[in-house]
Amino acid sequence: MTKPFFSEKLTGLIVKKPSNYAAGKMAIKKSIEHLMNEMGPVRAFTAINKMNKKDGFDCPGCAWPDPDDKRSVLGEYCENGAKALAEEATMKKVGPDFFAQHTLSELRQWSDFEIGKSGRLTSPLTFNPDNDKYEAISWENAIDCIAKSLTSLNDPNEAVFYTSGRSSNEAAFLYSLLARRLGTNNLPDCSNMCHESSGVGLSETLGIGKGSVTLEDLHKAEVIMIIGQNPGTNHPRMLTSLQKAKKNGAKVITINPLIEAGLKKFKNPQKPEDLLGAGTDITDVYLQVKINQDVALLKAIQKSLISMDEYDDVLDHDFISNSTVGFEAMQKDLEQYQLEDLIVSSGVKMESFQSTIDILKGAKKLIICWAMGLTQHKNGVDNIKECVNLLLMKGAIGKEGSGTCPVRGHSNVQGDRTVGINHKITPGQMEIIKNKFAFNPPQAQGYDVVEAIMAMHENRARIFMSLGGNFICAASDTHYTAEAVSKCDLTVSISTKLNRSHLYPGKRGLILPTLGRSEKDISNGKVSLVTVENSMGKIQPSKGVLDPVSDELMSEPDIISRIGLACFGDHQSLNWSDYIGQYDRIRTDISDVIGGFEQYNQRIENGNEFYLPNNARVGDFSKLPGGRAHFSICPLPFHEMEQDDFLLMTIRSHDQFNTTIYGLDDRYRGIYGERRVVLMNQDDMDRMQIQNKELITLLSTYDNVERRVDKFYAVSYDIPSGNLAAYFPETNPLIPIDQYADKSQTPISKSIRVKVLKYTPSD
Ligand SMILES: Nc1nc2c(c(=O)[nH]1)N[C@H]1C(S)=C(S)[C@@H](COP(=O)(O)OP(=O)(O)OC[C@H]3O[C@@H](n4cnc5c(=O)[nH]c(N)nc54)[C@H](O)[C@@H]3O)O[C@H]1N2
Ligand SMILES: Nc1nc2c(c(=O)[nH]1)N[C@H]1C(S)=C(S)[C@@H](COP(=O)(O)OP(=O)(O)OC[C@H]3O[C@@H](n4cnc5c(=O)[nH]c(N)nc54)[C@H](O)[C@@H]3O)O[C@H]1N2
Ligand SMILES: [Mo]
């Protein structure tokens, strides 16, 4: 049997009643606890007061926008923002002395919580296979080694350049330039595992892979649908916007297999009346859909609205005929389905369905928000297109208070893509790069995450660089992925904190420690600023305020410039040394090659921010075939299930940021002290004679290959029968590398077919 990848240590499960609201006093208590434990009072106070402020730094957590106008004097942050800051700006350190004491084999036995909590990386490190330890290396030698390895490849496509979404626009732009100057578009990034399905679905239907709404739109909407998203944990500041929208009269419809606390009620920690009183109800109608039955439900909604339109003014016919194509075909396709069948498949109650229709029929301003509950399925792209269908029927695109709102994950994942991190080639882009920098950029599409892993496994790729992230844990098929990465000749990880991916280096392995966003990035005696793009397409400056945890840290843009310089030297048209410590020059070059960034430096002066152009926001579909927005025909999803098969969704607890584990509680769901937990329906447990808190094994079988994770507590929970939920990344070994969404290749992290077995300890 394969050795377990993640530590199977049990940490002491306590189950309480799930919370029926989010935030409140406990959120304040937890924020203070995390800040104090990691940073101490002075550092914590200095930083938290500047987070998400115009003269400060952007929160290193999620990508939810800050208000355009007034920012709260109490601070524009939430509990999980405070945790993200505490985790990054901790005073704990892992320097060469730490690595002298621990071999990698030993560290692999630690839990991810223990690895992460060990502290910040302080010095460049190189892996010594003779003693199985990391040892200090100078910056000069590390960069020299990288440059020599990159430039001596037989084929530039043997190098892979992964990006996580924390990096600034400046760093990401240089990184994409480095890859292309080398000659490859192998630029996989975390969005391949995240909102890629949104990007593909939205581009094909609306001509832009981003959302169309602003915060102001959200405040003006009549109806907001929140599908497959858990904002109470993952985008807590969204609840403030929802509270405002509700105050303005908006109705909220939620579609989710779990009843998430933050979608029930919000007690705004910044409002005394909320802390003492009842708080704000968020959801008006809660549709407890079965996993991956959103297409069935959305079709049922569309069918009902179309049938009512015969008598009432339900659809926006002017918009449909002037701005869209494909409505008749879609309407015709819907005829093959029976309304009742769709509703039964979706699993929602008839009464709630009816209330949904009552709300939607008269509504003119509709926004649909979504996240991973829609994107991480085999039909992830269709899920998005079905949302677009509904919006288009209602004419709810390109007008105030309406539109698409894919809620992004990492704080700058959207900006990284905008400035060039893309394995796909956008038409004309390579030509612009060629003209500006006088080299021939690669014309072939590069690898995304799944393709990069396969290429490394098959020795077609042999250098793996990562700008942030924890690739091995975040990707699927963990054992296969770890094996793939370890096969490389060289792995390079530009990181703030130690994580499990560092424990699986290639034949040579380098860790380059970098500044976090909260830290001062000083060059020539001045603190530099960088820029980021939030989930709604606004560019804003970010400037760190804390003293760096170590003198040896180098900023991300400087590391990349130095690698570029060591690889290619300076040339008139691409002068890497010009970029070092001079980010305004990077921005000038971005403005020359990326649309929408004209006068970049001027427009961010004095803390100013600006929106990028967005065709869907203004209802301009001229770039799409036929010059109109597109309705789509999407089949119902199909899962080949045996009687005792379940669909498993892998989700985030309240105490984690992706693979970074802040703590062991999932407070809103009433789970404390333990992450090895599977939420299960009581009827299913009865049928299988599984006791509450009994240990189980999850087994996934695809193409006759068995993958398993052992020793998880089954916990009785309000979840549809046949569905399971467990935390990522501990369950990622269950997802086969080749099971991903059509077109976007996003792994099927939210609908893994598994069997539940009683756990039997092996000797
Ligand atoms: N604190 C914190 N903040 C974060 C993150 C974090 O880990 N911690 N991660 C960041 C990142 S990178 C991202 S992408 C976002 C992720 O934000 P979310 O997408 O909110 O994160 P998940 O925990 O994956 O939750 C998915 C939600 O979808 C629901 N769901 C699962 N399957 C289905 C389905 O088939 N249909 C429907 N309708 N719902 C379904 C789940 O019950 C859950 O409520 O958050 C970002 N913000
Ligand atoms: N099963 C399952 N798998 C999933 C998901 C899921 O829902 N289910 N979600 C997917 C999603 S949505 C995403 S976005 C991916 C996330 O994938 P990644 O982005 O690769 O993973 P993270 O856990 O966010 O990366 C954390 C690491 O980034 C480094 N880091 C943090 N801040 C910085 C910084 O400022 N600079 C640098 N250079 N490094 C930094 C630290 O070393 C930290 O350990 O995971 C995906 N994987
Ligand atoms: Mo994400």
Side-chain angles (χ1 to χ4, degrees), residues 25-89:
K25 284 183 237 162
M26 191 52 95
I28 301 176
K29 182 166 175 276
K30 288 288 167 192
S31 306
I32 295 171
E33 263 174 37
H34 279 264
L35 289 167
M36 289 305 142
N37 288 347
E38 299 288 338
M39 299 170 72
V42 178
R43 228 170 131 76
F45 188 77
T46 311
I48 203 79
N49 277 317
K50 290 288 183 192
M51 191 152 89
N52 292 335
K53 293 288 180 65
K54 293 215 170 190
D55 58 345
F57 62 96
D58 183 49
C59 174
C62 77
W64 190 255
D66 307 317
D68 284 347
D69 44 13
K70 226 173 54 208
R71 306 265 159 104
S72 165
V73 280
L74 288 174
E76 278 294 340
Y77 64 90
C78 65
E79 174 189 342
N80 280 342
K83 288 181 194 163
L85 170 64
E87 194 73 17
E88 169 178 303

Side-chain angles (χ1 to χ4, degrees), residues 88 162 164-167 190-191 193-194 372 376 410 467-471 473-475 494-499 502 514-517 556 650-652 657-660 728-729 731-732 735 749-750:
E88 169 178 303
Y162 173 69
S164 168
R166 280 271 172 100
S167 297
C190 66
S191 42
M193 302 180 261
C194 181
M372 298 303 100
Q376 296 175 330
H410 270 297
L467 182 57
N470 184 1
F471 187 79
C473 296
I494 302 172
S495 310
T496 50
K497 297 200 72 175
L498 183 67
N499 63 48
H502 299 127
T514 193
L515 291 167
R517 207 179 277 166
E556 292 180 345
T650 56
I651 55 175
R652 290 154 172 80
F657 194 97
N658 300 340
T659 68
T660 298
F728 114 84
T731 42
N732 285 36
I735 314 170
S749 305
K750 294 287 187 277

Side-chain angles (χ1 to χ4, degrees), residues 192-208:
N192 299 150
M193 302 180 261
C194 181
H195 266 295
E196 195 70 53
S197 304
S198 309
V200 173
L202 291 173
S203 301
E204 288 185 6
T205 53
L206 301 175
I208 181 167

Side-chain angles (χ1 to χ4, degrees), residues 197-198 201 292 374-385 741-742 744:
S197 304
S198 309
N292 200 215
L374 287 191
T375 60
Q376 296 175 330
H377 299 278
K378 181 146 185 10
N379 70 335
V381 173
D382 279 354
N383 275 336
I384 310 314
K385 289 186 170 177
D742 299 329
S744 68

Side-chain angles (χ1 to χ4, degrees), residues 14-192:
I14 296 171
V15 180
K16 297 186 189 167
K17 244 180 83 177
S19 172
N20 57 13
Y21 68 87
K25 284 183 237 162
M26 191 52 95
I28 301 176
K29 182 166 175 276
K30 288 288 167 192
S31 306
I32 295 171
E33 263 174 37
H34 279 264
L35 289 167
M36 289 305 142
N37 288 347
E38 299 288 338
M39 299 170 72
V42 178
R43 228 170 131 76
F45 188 77
T46 311
I48 203 79
N49 277 317
K50 290 288 183 192
M51 191 152 89
N52 292 335
K53 293 288 180 65
K54 293 215 170 190
D55 58 345
F57 62 96
D58 183 49
C59 174
C62 77
W64 190 255
D66 307 317
D68 284 347
D69 44 13
K70 226 173 54 208
R71 306 265 159 104
S72 165
V73 280
L74 288 174
E76 278 294 340
Y77 64 90
C78 65
E79 174 189 342
N80 280 342
K83 288 181 194 163
L85 170 64
E87 194 73 17
E88 169 178 303
T90 181
M91 292 197 293
K92 294 184 209 133
K93 297 175 190 182
V94 276
D97 48 338
F98 171 91
F99 292 99
Q101 288 166 24
H102 304 287
T103 61
L104 298 203
S105 319
E106 182 200 337
L107 289 171
R108 283 187 211 126
Q109 311 302 315
W110 293 22
S111 70
D112 290 56
F113 178 55
E114 292 164 329
I115 294 171
K117 285 290 174 200
S118 57
R120 279 288 296 276
L121 293 157
T122 59
S123 319
L125 299 165
T126 178
F127 172 59
N128 181 351
D130 295 334
N131 61 9
D132 191 32
K133 286 179 177 173
Y134 275 109
E135 294 169 350
I137 182 176
S138 69
W139 275 106
E140 206 182 342
N141 286 346
I143 286 174
D144 190 51
C145 163
I146 298 168
K148 284 204 174 103
S149 306
L150 285 174
T151 49
S152 57
L153 286 171
N154 293 328
D155 175 346
N157 293 313
E158 290 175 344
V160 169
F161 294 82
Y162 173 69
T163 315
S164 168
R166 280 271 172 100
S167 297
S168 62
N169 287 354
E170 290 76 1
F173 175 73
L174 290 187
Y175 196 61
S176 65
L177 200 58
L178 178 68
R180 296 197 168 111
R181 174 66 186 84
L182 185 74
T184 182
N185 281 310
N186 288 345
L187 286 158
D189 75 326
C190 66
S191 42
N192 299 150

